[in-house]
Amino acid sequence: MKENRCFIMGLPNAGKTTFLAALWYVITNGENDVQLELLRIDGNTNYLAKLSEQWLECKALARTKRGEEIKDLTLYLTDNMKNYTLQFPDLSGETFQHWYTDRKIEENLAQQIKDADSILFFINVKDIVAPFLINEANQFVDIGKDETVEYSRNKIKHDPVCVQITELLQFVSLLKRKQRVKLGIVFSAWDLLGDDSKKPEEYAKQELPLLWQFLKTNKKCFEVKYWGISALGGAIEETEKLLSYEHPYERIQVIDKNMNKSHDITCIVYEMIGETDG
């Protein structure tokens, strides 16, 4: 069996768990045509079944907390020609933030990154704060004020999301010894951007310029693909609308680099662990 390992990353509320819940529903339900089908699983199937049920009922999924993480989930998948192994640890976003603030990583997780053939990094569009130019900064400064004001910096609260993500990806590059790694940037809650949204990479260029520039200048380290995704299909508050779909998988929206839309959430995984150029 061909073994391709994918490591999943993202800050808190990035959409990792919702993605996993939708993925599990799709590959076990068999309602629609998908690129990957499930052969078997090693890990906590009850955990996945509970997530899937909550997703199906459009209930808010509990955030994965540190100490309650599912670190050993392995899905064995097939495209009916080749078989693949997907290692999908469901780690808390706080775990990744502590890597950033403490500059430390658990040995077993470091090894998983070293062994990974690809990385999926989730970013919630709701957590992105649009950057501003230096010449716009005066509105935040009390010009002429002489007294010194003490400022206590909290890395998690005050450091921009793009800075934290870029630093985490630098850790990945160091652990991989700068060997080229397949990286998928997945923007979750894409439906919030509306119908006039840009292509996922253009969105990254505009809203996360530091991250986009870092990845552009490190092509030898990262082979990057971008997606937008709405794994739930809308806001939790729109439960009645979401439950009105005859086929729940139709709620899923996956937007690729060319703005093609699909309900097949497995296509992201397939492009990362399969042998395809996308």
Side-chain angles (χ1 to χ4, degrees), residues 133-145:
L133 301 176
I134 293 176
N135 61 7
E136 299 174 315
N138 285 341
Q139 62 182 302
F140 303 104
V141 179
D142 191 352
I143 300 176
K145 196 172 184 178

Side-chain angles (χ1 to χ4, degrees), residues 160-172:
V161 167
C162 61
V163 172
Q164 297 185 44
I165 295 171
T166 302
E167 182 79 341
L168 288 172
L169 290 176
Q170 288 188 77
F171 294 164
V172 169

Side-chain angles (χ1 to χ4, degrees), residues 4-271:
N4 282 279
R5 301 177 181 180
C6 184
F7 191 82
I8 313 300
M9 300 180 66
L11 299 177
N13 195 42
K16 303 183 300 297
T17 302
T18 305
F19 176 86
L20 179 57
L23 177 66
W24 182 249
Y25 174 83
V26 166
I27 63 178
T28 56
N29 188 268
E31 277 189 330
N32 61 315
D33 292 330
V34 293
Q35 294 192 54
L36 292 174
E37 299 176 357
L38 180 69
L39 289 175
R40 64 184 179 88
I41 178 176
D42 287 343
N44 192 335
T45 55
N46 290 333
Y47 170 75
L48 290 173
K50 183 178 179 180
L51 286 182
S52 179
E53 182 179 351
Q54 292 173 326
W55 177 87
L56 185 61
E57 297 175 356
C58 301
K59 294 181 178 179
L61 302 181
R63 284 175 52 191
T64 306
K65 300 178 181 178
R66 293 190 79 195
E68 300 178 3
E69 300 159 313
I70 307 298
K71 298 183 179 180
D72 297 309
L73 278 177
T74 303
L75 305 181
Y76 297 92
L77 306 167
T78 182
D79 61 5
N80 292 320
M81 290 186 292
K82 293 184 179 181
N83 297 337
Y84 304 96
T85 300
L86 173 61
Q87 291 190 323
F88 201 131
D90 190 17
L91 302 178
S92 72
E94 286 79 9
T95 292
F96 300 111
Q97 281 187 324
H98 279 276
W99 293 1
Y100 172 73
T101 57
D102 303 340
R103 305 186 69 81
K104 295 179 182 179
I105 180 174
E106 298 88 337
E107 185 175 350
N108 67 314
L109 295 180
Q111 189 61 50
Q112 287 190 48
I113 291 177
K114 291 178 182 179
D115 294 339
D117 299 284
S118 59
I119 304 288
L120 272 182
F121 204 112
F122 285 78
I123 305 170
N124 194 322
V125 300
K126 293 187 295 184
D127 295 335
I128 298 176
V129 178
F132 57 85
L133 301 176
I134 293 176
N135 61 7
E136 299 174 315
N138 285 341
Q139 62 182 302
F140 303 104
V141 179
D142 191 352
I143 300 176
K145 196 172 184 178
D146 295 328
E147 64 268 25
T148 301
V149 178
E150 292 188 4
Y151 174 72
S152 178
R153 171 173 167 247
N154 182 303
K155 291 183 179 180
I156 292 177
K157 292 182 179 180
H158 298 140
D159 290 5
V161 167
C162 61
V163 172
Q164 297 185 44
I165 295 171
T166 302
E167 182 79 341
L168 288 172
L169 290 176
Q170 288 188 77
F171 294 164
V172 169
S173 182
L174 289 172
L175 287 168
K176 299 290 288 184
R177 297 184 178 180
K178 296 192 175 181
Q179 294 177 348
R180 201 164 193 237
V181 60
K182 294 175 72 174
L183 171 67
I185 299 294
V186 182
F187 291 109
S188 63
W190 190 259
D191 56 284
L192 297 180
L193 302 182
D195 294 333
D196 58 347
S197 57
K198 299 177 174 62
K199 293 180 180 179
E201 182 175 357
E202 292 177 354
Y203 178 79
K205 182 178 181 180
Q206 177 177 320
E207 303 297 335
L208 297 171
L210 175 65
L211 173 64
W212 182 82
Q213 291 171 21
F214 168 74
L215 294 174
K216 273 293 183 181
T217 55
N218 286 275
K219 291 182 178 179
K220 292 183 179 180
C221 298
F222 297 102
E223 176 190 344
V224 190
K225 297 178 183 289
Y226 294 87
W227 287 277
I229 185 171
S230 177
L232 183 62
I236 289 290
E237 294 75 19
E238 301 176 310
T239 301
E240 185 174 345
K241 173 186 173 182
L242 296 175
L243 291 176
S244 67
Y245 283 88
E246 180 179 358
H247 302 290
Y249 73 85
E250 293 178 343
R251 302 193 321 233
I252 299 169
Q253 294 289 335
V254 178
I255 292 80
D256 69 11
K257 62 182 180 181
N258 297 316
M259 295 296 286
N260 297 315
K261 296 183 180 181
S262 169
H263 301 307
D264 181 9
I265 200 171
T266 73
C267 69
I268 294 178
V269 178
Y270 184 63
E271 284 201 34

